[in-house]
mmCIF file of all heavy atoms in Angstrom:
data_model
loop_
_atom_site.group_PDB
_atom_site.id
_atom_site.type_symbol
_atom_site.label_atom_id
_atom_site.label_comp_id
_atom_site.label_asym_id
_atom_site.label_seq_id
_atom_site.Cartn_x
_atom_site.Cartn_y
_atom_site.Cartn_z
ATOM 1 N N LEU A 134 234.188 59.872 -43.364
ATOM 2 C CA LEU A 134 233.512 58.844 -42.552
ATOM 3 C C LEU A 134 233.492 59.197 -41.068
ATOM 4 O O LEU A 134 232.599 58.759 -40.334
ATOM 5 C CB LEU A 134 234.207 57.491 -42.735
ATOM 6 C CG LEU A 134 234.158 56.859 -44.125
ATOM 7 C CD1 LEU A 134 234.786 55.467 -44.092
ATOM 8 C CD2 LEU A 134 232.746 56.780 -44.652
ATOM 9 N N LYS A 135 234.483 59.949 -40.602
ATOM 10 C CA LYS A 135 234.592 60.314 -39.179
ATOM 11 C C LYS A 135 234.628 59.060 -38.319
ATOM 12 O O LYS A 135 235.540 58.263 -38.412
ATOM 13 C CB LYS A 135 233.448 61.256 -38.788
ATOM 14 C CG LYS A 135 233.501 62.589 -39.522
ATOM 15 C CD LYS A 135 232.353 63.500 -39.106
ATOM 16 C CE LYS A 135 232.410 64.821 -39.857
ATOM 17 N NZ LYS A 135 231.276 65.718 -39.524
ATOM 18 N N ASP A 136 233.613 58.853 -37.460
ATOM 19 C CA ASP A 136 233.645 57.716 -36.545
ATOM 20 C C ASP A 136 232.880 56.500 -37.064
ATOM 21 O O ASP A 136 232.550 55.590 -36.300
ATOM 22 C CB ASP A 136 233.117 58.117 -35.168
ATOM 23 C CG ASP A 136 231.745 58.789 -35.240
ATOM 24 O OD1 ASP A 136 231.282 59.092 -36.352
ATOM 25 O OD2 ASP A 136 231.141 59.020 -34.173
ATOM 26 N N PHE A 137 232.581 56.474 -38.374
ATOM 27 C CA PHE A 137 231.962 55.298 -38.973
ATOM 28 C C PHE A 137 233.060 54.351 -39.461
ATOM 29 O O PHE A 137 234.075 54.796 -39.997
ATOM 30 C CB PHE A 137 231.060 55.691 -40.142
ATOM 31 C CG PHE A 137 229.711 56.200 -39.713
ATOM 32 C CD1 PHE A 137 229.548 57.522 -39.341
ATOM 33 C CD2 PHE A 137 228.613 55.353 -39.667
ATOM 34 C CE1 PHE A 137 228.322 58.005 -38.937
ATOM 35 C CE2 PHE A 137 227.377 55.823 -39.269
ATOM 36 C CZ PHE A 137 227.220 57.145 -38.898
ATOM 37 N N PRO A 138 232.875 53.031 -39.322
ATOM 38 C CA PRO A 138 233.951 52.086 -39.644
ATOM 39 C C PRO A 138 234.146 51.831 -41.134
ATOM 40 O O PRO A 138 235.219 51.389 -41.550
ATOM 41 C CB PRO A 138 233.514 50.799 -38.938
ATOM 42 C CG PRO A 138 232.020 50.891 -38.920
ATOM 43 C CD PRO A 138 231.713 52.344 -38.725
ATOM 44 N N ASN A 139 233.122 52.078 -41.958
ATOM 45 C CA ASN A 139 233.222 51.764 -43.380
ATOM 46 C C ASN A 139 232.175 52.545 -44.170
ATOM 47 O O ASN A 139 231.265 53.163 -43.607
ATOM 48 C CB ASN A 139 233.050 50.254 -43.609
ATOM 49 C CG ASN A 139 231.810 49.709 -42.906
ATOM 50 O OD1 ASN A 139 230.693 50.086 -43.224
ATOM 51 N ND2 ASN A 139 232.023 48.843 -41.934
ATOM 52 N N THR A 140 232.312 52.509 -45.496
ATOM 53 C CA THR A 140 231.401 53.268 -46.357
ATOM 54 C C THR A 140 229.994 52.679 -46.348
ATOM 55 O O THR A 140 229.024 53.392 -46.591
ATOM 56 C CB THR A 140 231.924 53.289 -47.802
ATOM 57 O OG1 THR A 140 232.105 51.938 -48.265
ATOM 58 C CG2 THR A 140 233.250 54.024 -47.884
ATOM 59 N N TYR A 141 229.871 51.383 -46.051
ATOM 60 C CA TYR A 141 228.546 50.745 -46.016
ATOM 61 C C TYR A 141 227.677 51.349 -44.918
ATOM 62 O O TYR A 141 226.567 51.834 -45.177
ATOM 63 C CB TYR A 141 228.708 49.240 -45.811
ATOM 64 C CG TYR A 141 227.398 48.519 -45.559
ATOM 65 C CD1 TYR A 141 226.453 48.389 -46.568
ATOM 66 C CD2 TYR A 141 227.116 47.958 -44.312
ATOM 67 C CE1 TYR A 141 225.253 47.722 -46.339
ATOM 68 C CE2 TYR A 141 225.927 47.295 -44.076
ATOM 69 C CZ TYR A 141 225.002 47.181 -45.093
ATOM 70 O OH TYR A 141 223.809 46.529 -44.855
ATOM 71 N N ALA A 142 228.155 51.308 -43.678
ATOM 72 C CA ALA A 142 227.382 51.846 -42.560
ATOM 73 C C ALA A 142 227.146 53.346 -42.730
ATOM 74 O O ALA A 142 226.057 53.856 -42.431
ATOM 75 C CB ALA A 142 228.107 51.561 -41.246
ATOM 76 N N PHE A 143 228.159 54.040 -43.216
ATOM 77 C CA PHE A 143 228.067 55.491 -43.398
ATOM 78 C C PHE A 143 226.952 55.855 -44.385
ATOM 79 O O PHE A 143 226.096 56.697 -44.097
ATOM 80 C CB PHE A 143 229.414 56.023 -43.882
ATOM 81 C CG PHE A 143 229.424 57.488 -44.214
ATOM 82 C CD1 PHE A 143 229.530 58.446 -43.218
ATOM 83 C CD2 PHE A 143 229.343 57.914 -45.535
ATOM 84 C CE1 PHE A 143 229.546 59.804 -43.529
ATOM 85 C CE2 PHE A 143 229.360 59.261 -45.857
ATOM 86 C CZ PHE A 143 229.463 60.212 -44.850
ATOM 87 N N THR A 144 226.966 55.234 -45.571
ATOM 88 C CA THR A 144 225.967 55.576 -46.583
ATOM 89 C C THR A 144 224.574 55.081 -46.199
ATOM 90 O O THR A 144 223.576 55.700 -46.563
ATOM 91 C CB THR A 144 226.361 55.008 -47.956
ATOM 92 O OG1 THR A 144 226.646 53.599 -47.834
ATOM 93 C CG2 THR A 144 227.590 55.723 -48.492
ATOM 94 N N LYS A 145 224.498 54.001 -45.453
ATOM 95 C CA LYS A 145 223.197 53.538 -44.968
ATOM 96 C C LYS A 145 222.597 54.544 -43.988
ATOM 97 O O LYS A 145 221.377 54.759 -43.965
ATOM 98 C CB LYS A 145 223.341 52.164 -44.306
ATOM 99 C CG LYS A 145 223.366 50.999 -45.275
ATOM 100 C CD LYS A 145 222.035 50.827 -45.973
ATOM 101 C CE LYS A 145 221.927 49.542 -46.725
ATOM 102 N NZ LYS A 145 220.603 49.361 -47.363
ATOM 103 N N CYS A 146 223.449 55.162 -43.176
ATOM 104 C CA CYS A 146 222.984 56.184 -42.236
ATOM 105 C C CYS A 146 222.453 57.393 -42.996
ATOM 106 O O CYS A 146 221.382 57.927 -42.672
ATOM 107 C CB CYS A 146 224.135 56.590 -41.319
ATOM 108 S SG CYS A 146 223.699 57.878 -40.116
ATOM 109 N N VAL A 147 223.184 57.837 -44.010
ATOM 110 C CA VAL A 147 222.740 58.988 -44.801
ATOM 111 C C VAL A 147 221.442 58.667 -45.539
ATOM 112 O O VAL A 147 220.553 59.511 -45.650
ATOM 113 C CB VAL A 147 223.847 59.409 -45.799
ATOM 114 C CG1 VAL A 147 223.365 60.554 -46.686
ATOM 115 C CG2 VAL A 147 225.117 59.814 -45.054
ATOM 116 N N ALA A 148 221.323 57.423 -46.031
ATOM 117 C CA ALA A 148 220.115 57.010 -46.752
ATOM 118 C C ALA A 148 218.875 57.070 -45.859
ATOM 119 O O ALA A 148 217.772 57.382 -46.335
ATOM 120 C CB ALA A 148 220.295 55.603 -47.306
ATOM 121 N N GLU A 149 219.044 56.793 -44.577
ATOM 122 C CA GLU A 149 217.898 56.865 -43.665
ATOM 123 C C GLU A 149 217.366 58.290 -43.565
ATOM 124 O O GLU A 149 216.155 58.512 -43.405
ATOM 125 C CB GLU A 149 218.301 56.331 -42.285
ATOM 126 C CG GLU A 149 218.546 54.831 -42.269
ATOM 127 C CD GLU A 149 218.783 54.291 -40.872
ATOM 128 O OE1 GLU A 149 218.775 55.105 -39.909
ATOM 129 O OE2 GLU A 149 218.966 53.072 -40.733
ATOM 130 N N ASP A 150 218.269 59.256 -43.663
ATOM 131 C CA ASP A 150 217.825 60.655 -43.646
ATOM 132 C C ASP A 150 217.039 60.991 -44.909
ATOM 133 O O ASP A 150 216.123 61.817 -44.872
ATOM 134 C CB ASP A 150 219.037 61.579 -43.521
ATOM 135 C CG ASP A 150 218.639 63.005 -43.156
ATOM 136 O OD1 ASP A 150 217.908 63.178 -42.169
ATOM 137 O OD2 ASP A 150 219.061 63.934 -43.862
ATOM 138 N N VAL A 151 217.389 60.344 -46.021
ATOM 139 C CA VAL A 151 216.608 60.506 -47.254
ATOM 140 C C VAL A 151 215.192 59.996 -47.050
ATOM 141 O O VAL A 151 214.218 60.639 -47.454
ATOM 142 C CB VAL A 151 217.278 59.748 -48.427
ATOM 143 C CG1 VAL A 151 216.406 59.829 -49.684
ATOM 144 C CG2 VAL A 151 218.659 60.304 -48.713
ATOM 145 N N VAL A 152 215.064 58.849 -46.399
ATOM 146 C CA VAL A 152 213.741 58.283 -46.111
ATOM 147 C C VAL A 152 212.938 59.235 -45.239
ATOM 148 O O VAL A 152 211.747 59.481 -45.476
ATOM 149 C CB VAL A 152 213.879 56.904 -45.422
ATOM 150 C CG1 VAL A 152 212.518 56.385 -44.974
ATOM 151 C CG2 VAL A 152 214.552 55.913 -46.357
ATOM 152 N N ARG A 153 213.585 59.790 -44.213
ATOM 153 C CA ARG A 153 212.886 60.698 -43.289
ATOM 154 C C ARG A 153 212.410 61.967 -43.996
ATOM 155 O O ARG A 153 211.278 62.404 -43.782
ATOM 156 C CB ARG A 153 213.815 61.067 -42.130
ATOM 157 C CG ARG A 153 213.209 62.127 -41.204
ATOM 158 C CD ARG A 153 214.001 62.311 -39.926
ATOM 159 N NE ARG A 153 215.377 62.728 -40.173
ATOM 160 C CZ ARG A 153 216.234 63.023 -39.187
ATOM 161 N NH1 ARG A 153 215.840 62.945 -37.921
ATOM 162 N NH2 ARG A 153 217.465 63.392 -39.459
ATOM 163 N N LYS A 154 213.243 62.536 -44.853
ATOM 164 C CA LYS A 154 212.909 63.817 -45.480
ATOM 165 C C LYS A 154 212.003 63.656 -46.698
ATOM 166 O O LYS A 154 211.045 64.407 -46.882
ATOM 167 C CB LYS A 154 214.183 64.555 -45.869
ATOM 168 C CG LYS A 154 214.982 65.066 -44.679
ATOM 169 C CD LYS A 154 216.244 65.776 -45.130
ATOM 170 C CE LYS A 154 217.020 66.336 -43.948
ATOM 171 N NZ LYS A 154 218.299 66.996 -44.369
ATOM 172 N N GLU A 155 212.341 62.680 -47.550
ATOM 173 C CA GLU A 155 211.611 62.538 -48.810
ATOM 174 C C GLU A 155 210.360 61.677 -48.691
ATOM 175 O O GLU A 155 209.497 61.719 -49.565
ATOM 176 C CB GLU A 155 212.537 61.932 -49.885
ATOM 177 C CG GLU A 155 213.750 62.768 -50.208
ATOM 178 C CD GLU A 155 213.392 64.072 -50.899
ATOM 179 O OE1 GLU A 155 212.313 64.146 -51.523
ATOM 180 O OE2 GLU A 155 214.194 65.028 -50.817
ATOM 181 N N GLY A 156 210.270 60.898 -47.615
ATOM 182 C CA GLY A 156 209.164 59.951 -47.511
ATOM 183 C C GLY A 156 207.978 60.403 -46.693
ATOM 184 O O GLY A 156 207.072 59.604 -46.420
ATOM 185 N N GLN A 157 207.952 61.673 -46.291
ATOM 186 C CA GLN A 157 206.879 62.149 -45.408
ATOM 187 C C GLN A 157 205.477 61.965 -45.994
ATOM 188 O O GLN A 157 204.527 61.713 -45.272
ATOM 189 C CB GLN A 157 207.100 63.623 -45.072
ATOM 190 C CG GLN A 157 208.113 63.876 -43.974
ATOM 191 C CD GLN A 157 207.691 63.283 -42.628
ATOM 192 O OE1 GLN A 157 206.505 63.218 -42.317
ATOM 193 N NE2 GLN A 157 208.662 62.842 -41.855
ATOM 194 N N SER A 158 205.362 62.085 -47.303
ATOM 195 C CA SER A 158 204.029 61.991 -47.921
ATOM 196 C C SER A 158 203.673 60.570 -48.333
ATOM 197 O O SER A 158 202.620 60.341 -48.926
ATOM 198 C CB SER A 158 203.979 62.904 -49.155
ATOM 199 O OG SER A 158 204.940 62.494 -50.125
ATOM 200 N N LEU A 159 204.568 59.609 -48.022
ATOM 201 C CA LEU A 159 204.364 58.231 -48.462
ATOM 202 C C LEU A 159 204.039 57.288 -47.306
ATOM 203 O O LEU A 159 204.427 57.545 -46.162
ATOM 204 C CB LEU A 159 205.632 57.719 -49.160
ATOM 205 C CG LEU A 159 206.053 58.387 -50.465
ATOM 206 C CD1 LEU A 159 207.374 57.799 -50.929
ATOM 207 C CD2 LEU A 159 204.989 58.230 -51.530
ATOM 208 N N PRO A 160 203.362 56.170 -47.613
ATOM 209 C CA PRO A 160 203.191 55.100 -46.613
ATOM 210 C C PRO A 160 204.483 54.282 -46.551
ATOM 211 O O PRO A 160 204.597 53.205 -47.129
ATOM 212 C CB PRO A 160 202.034 54.286 -47.168
ATOM 213 C CG PRO A 160 202.119 54.473 -48.647
ATOM 214 C CD PRO A 160 202.639 55.870 -48.856
ATOM 215 N N ILE A 161 205.481 54.819 -45.868
ATOM 216 C CA ILE A 161 206.838 54.257 -45.906
ATOM 217 C C ILE A 161 207.317 53.911 -44.505
ATOM 218 O O ILE A 161 206.848 54.494 -43.515
ATOM 219 C CB ILE A 161 207.811 55.263 -46.579
ATOM 220 C CG1 ILE A 161 209.145 54.620 -46.936
ATOM 221 C CG2 ILE A 161 208.014 56.496 -45.701
ATOM 222 C CD1 ILE A 161 210.031 55.496 -47.806
ATOM 223 N N ALA A 162 208.228 52.968 -44.412
ATOM 224 C CA ALA A 162 208.813 52.593 -43.122
ATOM 225 C C ALA A 162 210.271 52.213 -43.315
ATOM 226 O O ALA A 162 210.703 51.854 -44.415
ATOM 227 C CB ALA A 162 208.049 51.439 -42.492
ATOM 228 N N LEU A 163 211.000 52.307 -42.231
ATOM 229 C CA LEU A 163 212.423 51.962 -42.215
ATOM 230 C C LEU A 163 212.596 50.659 -41.443
ATOM 231 O O LEU A 163 212.107 50.524 -40.321
ATOM 232 C CB LEU A 163 213.220 53.085 -41.546
ATOM 233 C CG LEU A 163 214.721 52.889 -41.367
ATOM 234 C CD1 LEU A 163 215.410 52.791 -42.711
ATOM 235 C CD2 LEU A 163 215.312 54.031 -40.547
ATOM 236 N N TYR A 164 213.283 49.713 -42.050
ATOM 237 C CA TYR A 164 213.463 48.387 -41.452
ATOM 238 C C TYR A 164 214.957 48.115 -41.310
ATOM 239 O O TYR A 164 215.706 48.181 -42.281
ATOM 240 C CB TYR A 164 212.804 47.331 -42.340
ATOM 241 C CG TYR A 164 212.960 45.914 -41.853
ATOM 242 C CD1 TYR A 164 212.028 45.349 -40.986
ATOM 243 C CD2 TYR A 164 214.038 45.127 -42.254
ATOM 244 C CE1 TYR A 164 212.169 44.041 -40.541
ATOM 245 C CE2 TYR A 164 214.189 43.825 -41.816
ATOM 246 C CZ TYR A 164 213.241 43.296 -40.957
ATOM 247 O OH TYR A 164 213.385 42.001 -40.514
ATOM 248 N N ARG A 165 215.381 47.791 -40.067
ATOM 249 C CA ARG A 165 216.804 47.586 -39.778
ATOM 250 C C ARG A 165 217.074 46.181 -39.241
ATOM 251 O O ARG A 165 216.911 45.930 -38.044
ATOM 252 C CB ARG A 165 217.279 48.591 -38.733
ATOM 253 C CG ARG A 165 217.219 50.064 -39.117
ATOM 254 C CD ARG A 165 217.768 50.856 -37.959
ATOM 255 N NE ARG A 165 217.720 52.297 -38.138
ATOM 256 C CZ ARG A 165 217.369 53.147 -37.177
ATOM 257 N NH1 ARG A 165 217.011 52.682 -35.965
ATOM 258 N NH2 ARG A 165 217.379 54.442 -37.406
ATOM 259 N N PRO A 166 217.518 45.259 -40.089
ATOM 260 C CA PRO A 166 217.937 43.946 -39.574
ATOM 261 C C PRO A 166 219.404 43.989 -39.160
ATOM 262 O O PRO A 166 220.184 44.787 -39.677
ATOM 263 C CB PRO A 166 217.745 43.037 -40.790
ATOM 264 C CG PRO A 166 218.020 43.943 -41.958
ATOM 265 C CD PRO A 166 217.557 45.330 -41.549
ATOM 266 N N SER A 167 219.787 43.125 -38.235
ATOM 267 C CA SER A 167 221.202 43.042 -37.862
ATOM 268 C C SER A 167 221.910 42.076 -38.815
ATOM 269 O O SER A 167 221.480 41.911 -39.957
ATOM 270 C CB SER A 167 221.342 42.612 -36.404
ATOM 271 O OG SER A 167 220.737 41.351 -36.185
ATOM 272 N N ILE A 168 223.000 41.434 -38.398
ATOM 273 C CA ILE A 168 223.735 40.526 -39.281
ATOM 274 C C ILE A 168 222.817 39.367 -39.662
ATOM 275 O O ILE A 168 222.307 38.655 -38.799
ATOM 276 C CB ILE A 168 224.999 39.991 -38.582
ATOM 277 C CG1 ILE A 168 225.932 41.150 -38.210
ATOM 278 C CG2 ILE A 168 225.733 39.001 -39.474
ATOM 279 C CD1 ILE A 168 227.125 40.724 -37.366
ATOM 280 N N VAL A 169 222.605 39.187 -40.958
ATOM 281 C CA VAL A 169 221.673 38.164 -41.442
ATOM 282 C C VAL A 169 222.436 36.868 -41.709
ATOM 283 O O VAL A 169 223.433 36.858 -42.438
ATOM 284 C CB VAL A 169 220.948 38.634 -42.718
ATOM 285 C CG1 VAL A 169 219.948 37.579 -43.174
ATOM 286 C CG2 VAL A 169 220.238 39.962 -42.473
ATOM 287 N N ILE A 170 221.949 35.783 -41.108
ATOM 288 C CA ILE A 170 222.588 34.481 -41.280
ATOM 289 C C ILE A 170 221.579 33.496 -41.890
ATOM 290 O O ILE A 170 220.523 33.902 -42.347
ATOM 291 C CB ILE A 170 223.162 33.967 -39.943
ATOM 292 C CG1 ILE A 170 222.108 34.063 -38.821
ATOM 293 C CG2 ILE A 170 224.394 34.770 -39.551
ATOM 294 C CD1 ILE A 170 222.607 33.550 -37.477
ATOM 295 N N ALA A 171 221.886 32.228 -41.927
ATOM 296 C CA ALA A 171 221.100 31.226 -42.653
ATOM 297 C C ALA A 171 219.661 31.116 -42.147
ATOM 298 O O ALA A 171 219.328 31.551 -41.044
ATOM 299 C CB ALA A 171 221.787 29.868 -42.556
ATOM 300 N N THR A 172 218.820 30.502 -42.961
ATOM 301 C CA THR A 172 217.405 30.327 -42.616
ATOM 302 C C THR A 172 217.234 29.313 -41.489
ATOM 303 O O THR A 172 218.047 28.397 -41.321
ATOM 304 C CB THR A 172 216.605 29.847 -43.835
ATOM 305 O OG1 THR A 172 217.164 28.604 -44.299
ATOM 306 C CG2 THR A 172 216.653 30.866 -44.959
ATOM 307 N N VAL A 173 216.149 29.476 -40.757
ATOM 308 C CA VAL A 173 215.790 28.495 -39.729
ATOM 309 C C VAL A 173 215.126 27.281 -40.381
ATOM 310 O O VAL A 173 215.529 26.136 -40.169
ATOM 311 C CB VAL A 173 214.831 29.106 -38.684
ATOM 312 C CG1 VAL A 173 214.427 28.047 -37.650
ATOM 313 C CG2 VAL A 173 215.477 30.289 -37.990
ATOM 314 N N LYS A 174 214.112 27.552 -41.218
ATOM 315 C CA LYS A 174 213.354 26.431 -41.803
ATOM 316 C C LYS A 174 212.779 26.718 -43.186
ATOM 317 O O LYS A 174 212.429 25.786 -43.912
ATOM 318 C CB LYS A 174 212.208 26.049 -40.865
ATOM 319 C CG LYS A 174 211.275 27.195 -40.509
ATOM 320 C CD LYS A 174 210.231 26.781 -39.479
ATOM 321 C CE LYS A 174 209.356 27.970 -39.071
ATOM 322 N NZ LYS A 174 208.356 27.597 -38.047
ATOM 323 N N GLU A 175 212.631 27.992 -43.568
ATOM 324 C CA GLU A 175 211.944 28.310 -44.817
ATOM 325 C C GLU A 175 212.862 28.977 -45.824
ATOM 326 O O GLU A 175 213.632 29.869 -45.448
ATOM 327 C CB GLU A 175 210.775 29.264 -44.554
ATOM 328 C CG GLU A 175 209.614 28.700 -43.802
ATOM 329 C CD GLU A 175 208.481 29.710 -43.777
ATOM 330 O OE1 GLU A 175 208.498 30.585 -42.902
ATOM 331 O OE2 GLU A 175 207.591 29.636 -44.661
ATOM 332 N N PRO A 176 212.707 28.617 -47.080
ATOM 333 C CA PRO A 176 211.990 27.451 -47.618
ATOM 334 C C PRO A 176 212.796 26.171 -47.483
ATOM 335 O O PRO A 176 212.287 25.070 -47.665
ATOM 336 C CB PRO A 176 211.786 27.813 -49.091
ATOM 337 C CG PRO A 176 212.975 28.658 -49.418
ATOM 338 C CD PRO A 176 213.279 29.444 -48.171
ATOM 339 N N VAL A 177 214.098 26.343 -47.144
ATOM 340 C CA VAL A 177 214.987 25.211 -46.889
ATOM 341 C C VAL A 177 215.765 25.516 -45.622
ATOM 342 O O VAL A 177 216.318 26.600 -45.473
ATOM 343 C CB VAL A 177 215.977 25.010 -48.065
ATOM 344 C CG1 VAL A 177 216.897 23.830 -47.788
ATOM 345 C CG2 VAL A 177 215.239 24.814 -49.379
ATOM 346 N N ALA A 178 215.801 24.588 -44.692
ATOM 347 C CA ALA A 178 216.504 24.807 -43.430
ATOM 348 C C ALA A 178 217.997 24.973 -43.665
ATOM 349 O O ALA A 178 218.623 24.199 -44.390
ATOM 350 C CB ALA A 178 216.262 23.639 -42.481
ATOM 351 N N GLY A 179 218.568 26.041 -43.090
ATOM 352 C CA GLY A 179 220.009 26.259 -43.159
ATOM 353 C C GLY A 179 220.500 26.830 -44.464
ATOM 354 O O GLY A 179 221.710 26.879 -44.695
#
């Protein structure tokens, strides 16, 4: 892991390299949300 805090962040970082290398011929994108918490209003508030 080196300077990564856990296996989750570490493997997510490696997975992004898979997207970069293997996805060149595809209509693909990388989406990075931060800490996800409750809904604002849809479909149920909170």
Side-chain angles (χ1 to χ4, degrees):
L134 295 185
K135 296 180 181 178
D136 52 351
F137 280 83
N139 50 64
T140 56
Y141 172 69
F143 175 80
T144 52
K145 279 293 191 178
C146 179
V147 177
E149 290 187 359
D150 194 52
V151 176
V152 173
R153 174 169 60 176
K154 290 179 178 178
E155 299 292 336
Q157 279 297 328
S158 61
L159 295 176
I161 193 170
L163 177 64
Y164 178 89
R165 297 182 183 138
S167 59
I168 299 173
V169 182
I170 49 179
T172 59
V173 178
K174 55 185 177 181
E175 291 187 276
V177 180

